[in-house]
Amino acid sequence: MNKQELKVLLKELKKWSAPATVLLSLYIPPGRPIADVLNNLRQEASISQNIKLKRTRDAVETAISAAIDRLTPINKVPDNGLALFCGENFDTEDFKCYMFSPPEKITVYFYRTDKTFHTEFLEDMVEENEIYGLIIVERDEATIGLLRGTKIQELEEIEGFVPGKHMMGGQSQRRIDRIIEEMYGNFLKEVGEKVNAYFLPYVEEKKMKGILLGGPGYAKNDFYEGDYVDYRIKNLILQPLVDLGDQGEAGLREMVMKSKDVLKNQKYIEVEDLLDEIKYHLAKDDGLVVYGKEEIEKAISLGALDSLVVSEDSEAEKLSTEAEKMGTKVYVISDEIPEAEWVRKTFGGAIGKLRFRI
């Protein structure tokens, strides 16, 4: 499978979601014996029989069986490894199973059934290799994500249970405080283990340039100062730690935008700044913004186009090649950028800033 084919398939996989953890994702690195993988899947099939809800149980068992059927005829994992995605779309009751060898080598063995397919280990094969890790931590909640080029990707939200302090007094109070602190420490440990699982493959491939760590309170400091993550990950955490008000995707975006000073020349920051500048020129109506296919082509031919923002999958994406030949900075943005829909619906998928009026 080449990179363009993989890019198309990833878009399809991202459309799938389920109300329960029934979508199977499996990554097999080269050198891993197929027999070992099959044994692991059979063990997972046995464990899945304990799932209480029948439809969820049936969907997981079907996905695992499909994976086993596709792997059984294979004698050896290909040089670049194998990726396998199986599952049922609960809305359409459609079932699909994809198995392929990607254009670059898989370096991690990964198995999970979840509400979405885990495509994160393939993303950098079709994107530029500029990756930052994102971690938001508070006492009983955390978010893990990636910043890759112009995309912010939420990998997982984690919820724990750490009660507030009680006011009983005496030895009972001290005992309860110790229990609460132990629960807090265990939650931070859980977050650290997940961070290691997600980030270490990128660290080992030397693709992760840095890690942002933030949160609303002191938990981010406790997480940083404690031994919760691999030392290689800790060495990549950028300073200062970021004060935040949100978790989830909104919190990840807030953290990135608050970290402009340490993310210099990062494409997400560049495109957000450029869009702000374009909005400023539109408001002034000073003639330094161009949109519409013919007008953009004219600006390119005159060497007047400084920067161009193109919405991914739009017809205007073809303009980017000609623009780059003329020295224009081109940013192809996906729906992860909040303004992508604005660019696509309002301006036909492309809008640019001029060097001079034409």
Side-chain angles (χ1 to χ4, degrees):
M1 177 175 284
N2 61 40
K3 290 193 175 186
Q4 184 57 35
E5 291 170 333
L6 177 58
K7 190 173 184 179
V8 172
L9 178 57
L10 288 178
K11 289 175 184 175
E12 171 64 22
L13 291 172
K14 288 177 182 178
K15 295 176 183 176
W16 286 61
S17 62
T21 55
V22 300
L23 300 179
L24 181 151
S25 304
L26 175 64
Y27 292 86
I28 309 171
R32 186 91 176 199
I34 289 291
D36 289 354
V37 180
L38 289 171
N39 285 336
N40 288 344
L41 288 174
R42 291 185 184 110
Q43 290 173 7
E44 292 295 334
S46 178
I47 293 170
S48 70
Q49 293 175 8
N50 297 321
I51 298 173
K52 293 181 180 180
L53 293 176
K54 184 179 186 302
R55 188 175 184 191
T56 301
R57 181 174 66 250
D58 290 347
V60 172
E61 289 177 349
T62 300
I64 295 173
S65 295
I68 291 173
D69 288 344
R70 281 157 178 76
L71 287 170
T72 298
I74 296 174
N75 295 320
K76 182 184 177 183
V77 177
D79 291 341
N80 281 352
L82 282 171
L84 197 148
F85 302 93
C86 296
E88 177 188 350
N89 185 324
F90 272 40
D91 293 332
T92 63
E93 296 187 350
D94 187 21
F95 182 89
K96 289 188 179 179
C97 197
Y98 303 91
M99 184 175 73
F100 56 90
S101 184
E104 295 179 14
K105 188 175 292 187
I106 291 172
T107 60
V108 60
Y109 181 79
F110 179 91
Y111 167 86
R112 184 166 299 176
T113 54
D114 212 331
K115 294 181 180 180
T116 57
F117 287 123
H118 283 265
T119 60
E120 59 268 19
F121 299 111
L122 299 172
E123 297 288 347
D124 57 322
M125 296 184 187
V126 296
E127 301 287 346
E128 55 189 281
N129 295 330
E130 185 185 67
I131 301 173
Y132 287 84
L134 308 174
I135 310 168
I136 304 173
V137 183
E138 52 186 300
R139 282 184 64 86
D140 56 0
E141 195 173 355
T143 305
I144 303 171
L146 292 175
L147 171 62
R148 182 189 286 106
T150 62
K151 295 182 179 180
I152 289 178
Q153 179 186 6
E154 180 185 310
L155 297 176
E156 186 170 352
E157 281 193 73
I158 309 162
E159 291 186 0
F161 175 70
V162 181
K165 292 193 174 183
H166 293 261
M167 300 301 294
M168 296 182 65
Q171 292 186 355
S172 295
Q173 175 64 47
R174 289 192 291 273
R175 181 175 61 83
I176 291 173
D177 286 346
R178 285 195 300 270
I179 292 172
I180 291 173
E181 287 307 303
E182 183 178 348
M183 294 172 71
Y184 174 49
N186 287 339
F187 177 71
L188 295 184
K189 182 180 178 182
E190 178 189 356
V191 174
E193 289 171 350
K194 289 182 180 290
V195 167
N196 287 340
Y198 282 119
F199 289 178
L200 278 178
Y202 298 114
V203 174
E204 290 169 352
E205 292 173 17
K206 302 188 186 308
K207 292 180 178 179
M208 187 162 283
K209 297 187 68 175
I211 296 169
L212 299 179
L213 172 60
Y218 290 104
K220 61 183 179 292
N221 303 85
D222 294 338
F223 187 77
Y224 176 73
E225 292 166 4
D227 294 324
Y228 297 110
V229 294
D230 186 282
Y231 74 94
R232 292 167 291 178
I233 290 176
K234 190 169 185 177
N235 289 341
L236 287 172
I237 294 177
L238 303 171
Q239 299 292 333
L241 305 186
V242 190
D243 291 324
L244 298 170
D246 288 316
Q247 284 278 351
E249 193 173 316
L252 296 178
R253 285 200 298 269
E254 179 189 0
M255 180 158 62
V256 169
M257 295 310 295
K258 281 188 171 182
S259 303
K260 286 185 178 183
D261 290 344
V262 295
L263 294 176
K264 292 176 181 176
N265 302 319
Q266 202 285 325
K267 282 200 169 183
Y268 185 93
I269 299 297
E270 287 184 358
V271 75
E272 287 285 1
D273 287 345
L274 173 58
L275 286 167
D276 285 343
E277 191 173 353
I278 285 173
K279 290 175 184 177
Y280 170 76
H281 289 300
L282 282 172
K284 287 185 66 179
D285 194 21
D286 56 12
L288 288 176
V289 173
V290 63
Y291 50 88
K293 185 174 183 291
E294 292 183 3
E295 293 300 316
I296 291 174
E297 286 177 338
K298 179 182 177 181
I300 292 172
S301 67
L302 294 173
L305 191 59
D306 175 75
S307 307
L308 179 66
V309 178
V310 181
S311 175
E312 192 176 61
D313 295 332
S314 68
E315 292 182 12
E317 193 172 355
K318 297 175 184 176
L319 293 169
S320 60
T321 303
E322 291 302 315
E324 286 177 334
K325 290 178 182 177
M326 298 298 291
T328 299
K329 292 181 181 179
V330 178
Y331 301 92
V332 180
I333 61 173
S334 65
D335 289 339
E336 280 86 355
I337 295 284
E339 292 89 349
E341 186 176 4
W342 176 69
V343 172
R344 185 171 57 251
K345 290 187 175 180
T346 309
F347 304 103
I351 188 168
K353 186 188 74 170
L354 296 174
R355 296 187 175 101
F356 48 85
R357 295 179 184 85
I358 56 176

